[in-house]
């Protein structure tokens, strides 16, 4: 019996030892599995270090002139390739059928005959402008003229908005002015390096039906101005202009309309999170109340952040009182100015018939718009707008350059030398 006295204790000890060995083996296996990703990461890091060393060697070779970089430099005056859209250009007639959104395609089919007649053969000679149709706030096609700048990519841009009323249209800004060497204000700005957009407001100019808009329709037109702005966003992304340099000129009741649009949240903004692109406003002969849009309500929100030039005749009964009342608010901005002209002319008549006013307007835009130092960068256009070319129009100066020199008056036929008199035979 003594021989088996210690067997239970020995058995228990054996079992405990086996369990300890099993647990230790399990823990070591788990640690090994955890170490595997670390080892892999360390290997990857070693590989990355090797690549970095190789890259450093390549850069040193390039610096010494022994190697060449594979990256192609971006040409001066051209936007980065990543900022260029891949879609076809709607202003290019041949590209419409290849790639167009539904709105642009519908307008293209409707205007195909008109484009075929208006489109000149071969590339247009600068200066020229496009006749276009842009889908408005509700998708309805609205007429406009677009003057591209000669120097692309970083060009400033100006939108010219005409007054409301019978006979008013974008052509108000396209009248030749003696003060500008018989160029229109749109052509003068284009010659000064701006891209220029001249829209016809709804129910005006090339937009049927032509009639006086109701007050409710007029108050809804800021949505159309935003649609024209989105057209400029597309041209910006195509490298034609720098939309961060945007000025707007408007006269008469349209000056109130533009001020109301500028005061709206999201006005002249391409996508959520961006600031407004408006760099300056020129308001010519604004009125107290334009179809329910009051200048006194629209000016205070924009006066602190946007340089504003207000031009008004000092005997213009429709504008003088409201302009004087708004002057203290406007001139809080150091670059803003109110200018009174010794005349009773109003709106477009003030621009077209009073000397030096158009040139003064262009000079005001030089600093806050043309002279603004800001880099071009691509835009995220979350709400693209449909548009289509209706043809290309060459400016008068381009047509004159193509005309042959004046024909010289035909020279008189050379006179024949008189024949010598026949010698008389000697008698």
């Amino acid at each position: 019996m003594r021989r088996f006295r210690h067997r239970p204790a020995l058995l228990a000890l054996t079992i405990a030892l086996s369990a300890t060995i099993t647990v230790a083996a399990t823990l070591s296996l788990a640690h090994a599995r955890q170490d595997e990703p670390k080892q892999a990461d360390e290997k990857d890091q070693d590989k990355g270090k090797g690549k970095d060393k190789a890259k450093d060697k390549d850069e040193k070779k390039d610096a010494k002139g022994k190697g060449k970089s594979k990256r192609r430099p971006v040409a001066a005056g051209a936007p980065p390739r990543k900022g260029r859209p891949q879609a076809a250009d709607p202003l290019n007639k041949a590209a419409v059928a290849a790639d167009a959104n539904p709105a642009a395609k519908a307008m293209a089919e409707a205007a195909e005959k008109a484009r075929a007649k208006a489109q000149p053969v071969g590339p247009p000679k600068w200066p020229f402008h496009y006749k276009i149709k842009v889908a408005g706030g509700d998708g309805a096609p609205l007429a406009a003229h677009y003057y591209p700048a000669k120097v692309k990519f970083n060009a400033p841009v100006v939108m010219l908005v005409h007054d409301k009323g019978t006979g008013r249209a974008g052509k108000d800004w396209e009248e030749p002015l003696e003060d500008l060497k018989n160029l229109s204000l749109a052509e003068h700005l284009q010659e000064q390096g701006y891209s220029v957009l001249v829209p016809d407001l709804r129910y005006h100019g090339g937009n049927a039906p032509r009639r006086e808009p109701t007050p409710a329709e007029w108050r809804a037109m800021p949505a159309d101005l935003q649609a024209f702005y989105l057209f400029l966003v597309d041209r910006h992304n195509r490298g034609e202009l720098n939309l961060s340099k945007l000025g707007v000129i408007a006269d008469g009741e349209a000056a109130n309309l533009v001020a109301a649009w500028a005061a709206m949240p999201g006005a002249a903004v391409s996508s959520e999170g961006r600031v407004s692109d408006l760099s300056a406003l020129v308001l010519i002969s604004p009125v107290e109340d334009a179809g329910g849009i009051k200048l006194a309500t629209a000016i205070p929100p924009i006066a602190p952040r946007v340089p504003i030039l207000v031009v008004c005749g000092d005997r213009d009964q429709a504008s003088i009182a409201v302009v004087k009342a708004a002057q203290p608010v406007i001139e809080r901005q150091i670059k803003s100015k109110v200018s009174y002209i010794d005349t009773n002319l109003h709106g477009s008549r003030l621009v077209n018939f009073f000397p030096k006013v158009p040139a003064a307007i262009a000079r005001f835009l030089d600093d806050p718009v043309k002279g603004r130092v800001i880099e071009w960068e691509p835009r995220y256009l979350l709400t693209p707008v449909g548009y289509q070319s209706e043809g290309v129009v060459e400016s008068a100066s381009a047509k004159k350059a193509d005309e042959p020199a004046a024909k010289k008056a035909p020279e008189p036929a050379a006179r024949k030398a008189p024949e010598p008199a026949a010698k008389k035979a000697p008698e």
Side-chain angles (χ1 to χ4, degrees), residues 350-424:
L350 178 60
V351 177
N352 294 340
F353 299 111
F354 200 92
K356 300 183 180 179
V357 169
I361 291 172
R363 284 196 303 271
F364 172 78
L365 296 176
D366 280 346
D367 182 29
V369 180
K370 189 176 182 180
R372 189 179 184 193
V373 180
I374 188 166
E375 293 184 0
W376 183 96
E377 60 179 3
R379 300 298 179 85
Y380 292 102
L381 185 54
L382 300 181
T383 54
V385 63
Y387 65 92
Q388 182 56 53
S389 172
E390 295 282 291
V392 179
V393 180
E394 289 186 354
S395 299
S397 56
K399 292 179 180 178
K400 287 181 181 179
D402 288 337
E403 291 178 357
K407 295 180 179 180
K408 297 181 180 179
E411 296 180 357
R415 296 179 181 178
K416 294 181 180 180
E419 295 180 359
K423 294 181 179 180
K424 294 183 179 180

Side-chain angles (χ1 to χ4, degrees), residues 126-129 147 160 173-177 180-194 196 198 393-398:
W126 197 90
F128 65 93
H129 64 270
Y147 295 72
L160 302 174
W173 304 107
E174 298 174 335
E175 296 291 335
L177 304 176
L180 301 178
K181 300 179 181 179
N182 289 324
L183 295 177
S184 67
L185 182 58
E187 291 172 331
H188 175 71
L189 291 171
Q190 184 188 35
E191 190 179 64
Q192 295 299 310
Y194 292 89
V196 183
V198 186
V393 180
E394 289 186 354
S395 299
S397 56

Side-chain angles (χ1 to χ4, degrees), residues 288-348:
E288 181 178 1
D289 190 330
I293 300 176
K294 296 184 177 181
L295 189 71
T297 304
I299 285 293
I302 61 175
R305 60 183 177 87
V306 181
I308 302 172
L309 171 65
V310 178
V311 183
C312 173
D314 60 3
R315 299 194 303 276
D316 182 359
Q317 298 302 314
S319 302
I320 188 65
V322 68
V323 169
K324 285 188 174 181
Q327 183 174 358
V329 179
I330 293 170
E331 292 187 340
R332 288 177 187 172
Q333 224 280 355
I334 192 171
K335 293 183 179 181
S336 295
K337 181 181 179 182
V338 177
S339 181
Y340 299 100
I341 310 298
D342 183 18
T343 182
N344 62 354
L345 296 175
H346 179 84
S348 61

Side-chain angles (χ1 to χ4, degrees), residues 161-164 201 218-219 221-222 225 248-264 281-299 302 310 318-319 322-323 326 346:
V161 186
H162 65 81
D163 197 359
K164 181 180 78 170
L201 293 177
W218 180 253
R219 291 192 298 271
M221 286 189 189
L225 296 180
V248 182
I249 303 174
D251 68 321
E253 294 188 59
N256 294 48
L257 180 68
V258 164
W261 168 58
M264 290 174 55
L281 295 177
V282 178
L283 308 179
I284 304 165
S285 305
V287 297
E288 181 178 1
D289 190 330
I293 300 176
K294 296 184 177 181
L295 189 71
T297 304
I299 285 293
I302 61 175
V310 178
S319 302
V322 68
V323 169
H346 179 84

Side-chain angles (χ1 to χ4, degrees), residues 86-110:
Q86 300 299 319
D89 187 352
L91 295 187
N92 182 355
K93 179 183 175 183
V96 174
D99 187 356
N101 59 47
K105 190 174 182 179
M107 287 189 290
E109 292 173 355

Side-chain angles (χ1 to χ4, degrees), residues 1-6:
M1 295 296 292
R2 290 180 180 178
R3 293 175 58 186
F4 301 99
R5 183 181 301 174
H6 298 289

Side-chain angles (χ1 to χ4, degrees), residues 42-91:
E42 290 174 358
K43 290 180 180 180
D44 292 340
Q45 289 177 0
D46 291 338
K47 290 180 180 179
K49 289 179 181 178
K51 291 180 180 179
D52 291 340
K53 290 179 180 178
K55 185 177 179 181
D56 292 339
K57 289 181 180 179
D58 291 340
E59 290 177 352
K60 289 179 180 179
K61 287 181 180 180
D62 292 339
K64 293 179 180 179
K66 295 181 180 179
K68 293 184 179 180
S69 175
K70 294 182 179 180
R71 295 183 179 180
R72 296 182 179 178
V74 178
R81 290 189 176 184
K82 65 179 182 180
R84 298 177 183 172
Q86 300 299 319
D89 187 352
L91 295 187

